[in-house]
Amino acid sequence: MKFSKTAAFGLFFSLALVVAGCGQTKSASETDPSTASTPAATESKLNVQVSFYPMYEFTKNVAGDLADVHTLVPAGMEPHDWEPTPQDMASIEKADVLVYNGAGMESWIDQVKDSLSNDKLVQVEASKGINLLEGGEHDHNHGSEGTAEEHNHDHDHADEASTEEHDHDHDHANEGTTEEHDHNHDHADTATTEEHDHDHDHGDETATEEHAHSHSHDHGGLDPHVWLSPALAIQEVRNIEAGLTEAAPEHAEQFKQNADAYVAKLEALDTDFKAAVTDSKRKDFITQHAAFGYLAQEYGLQQVPIAGLSPEQEPSAAQMASVIDFAKEHQVKTIFFETLVSSKVSETIANEVGAKTAVLNPIEGLTEEEISAGMDYISVMRQNLEALKLALNE
């Protein structure tokens, strides 16, 4: 039963209160790097709960030693599939700060927030103020080379917060207060995309568009993958800095210093991406799912996704045929797949067109192997950069 169902959620939250009252046992998220060597929160440190890996990476780099940061989604798990347990609910209830990406990435977030009784909890929506792409803007219209570069984003953003006008009751003292989001997200499709019996017998090209729009896995039609653009990751880091400063204003200067140091690394990464694609032979790349729209937009590239925003959805026969035709017409030599999900679809297309496969990591979580190797957001993004450089110059 899906978390979005009211009855299930009520039961989960009731159990969460029992767990909270009886004392917390070991959390599933303790397999994550965020908790592998982190002691229990002390009174001198902020207790910060974050939704999934990129939020952990950004938050930990801003917080430094001033917070215990815990990731809700366990290592190795695809976050699109994850739902909070009663124990996770209890952890959130006890936290000082909750950091989540937003833009529909965490389909469970609104119901969780509506059920919390901790009115002191600082809630940070990291993607606040970012011009969000519609899911349909990653459409499967591969017939023209300019498809992904011609995003006509009619986002009339009057200010930094305008992209988040989901009926938010923002009572912010200043522009940097990105955290007190009592969001009343009236997403009409809250439960729909999690309950698909993926019956994709699409016999024509129209079905391709229907597939892209109807299977956004509770993203509310928005693309949440903003962290994959280093330039937008900087904005997320700054929002997190503002949230931690609200929770512990006495440490504002240290948070700023930490954030500045990490932003410098992201700026260097951004510069390297720009340099790598400037003189590349081609501007298009084929990905397993539409996770790289912001990266493509930032650097003038064309993402050609096999499937839509959620990596778990199966592409239709029409989508597969469209991507194969595109790959043959444009002589694509590399088909990208990703960690945490099966590479079968990418391998099928690669075999059909005589291409090879390679990893382009959406960094929705780290595998146990990546954790053991000491990988982090910066190092994985640099691997992505090298993979793209090779593919764009074949």
Side-chain angles (χ1 to χ4, degrees), residues 269-285 295 299 301 333-334 336 356 358-360 381-394:
L269 183 63
D270 177 51
T271 298
D272 291 344
F273 264 94
K274 289 176 180 176
V277 303
T278 298
D279 298 319
S280 61
K281 294 180 180 179
R282 62 187 314 126
K283 300 298 182 184
D284 50 62
F285 61 99
L295 183 146
Y299 304 115
L301 301 175
K333 303 299 183 183
T334 300
F336 286 114
K356 65 179 182 295
V359 172
L360 197 63
M381 282 298 290
R382 290 203 171 277
Q383 286 186 340
N384 284 344
L385 174 58
E386 293 305 313
L388 275 173
K389 284 167 65 175
L390 290 174
L392 296 176
N393 288 285
E394 292 176 320

Side-chain angles (χ1 to χ4, degrees), residues 57-136:
E57 173 80 5
F58 300 161
T59 302
K60 188 62 180 174
N61 275 279
V62 176
D65 296 330
L66 298 174
D68 289 326
V69 184
H70 305 271
T71 310
L72 292 165
V73 178
M77 177 174 285
E78 163 53 51
H80 293 265
D81 302 330
W82 185 84
E83 297 170 352
T85 66
Q87 189 165 302
D88 295 318
M89 288 294 301
S91 297
I92 296 171
E93 185 68 50
K94 294 177 180 179
D96 300 306
V97 181
L98 171 64
V99 179
Y100 62 100
N101 182 76
M105 182 65 190
E106 299 88 352
S107 61
W108 43 268
I109 192 66
D110 291 324
Q111 294 187 58
V112 166
K113 293 193 298 181
D114 288 345
S115 300
L116 295 173
S117 60
N118 179 3
D119 57 4
K120 295 183 179 180
L121 177 67
V122 176
Q123 299 175 22
V124 183
E125 184 176 29
S127 64
K128 179 183 180 295
I130 292 174
N131 293 354
L132 300 175
L133 299 177
E134 297 290 336

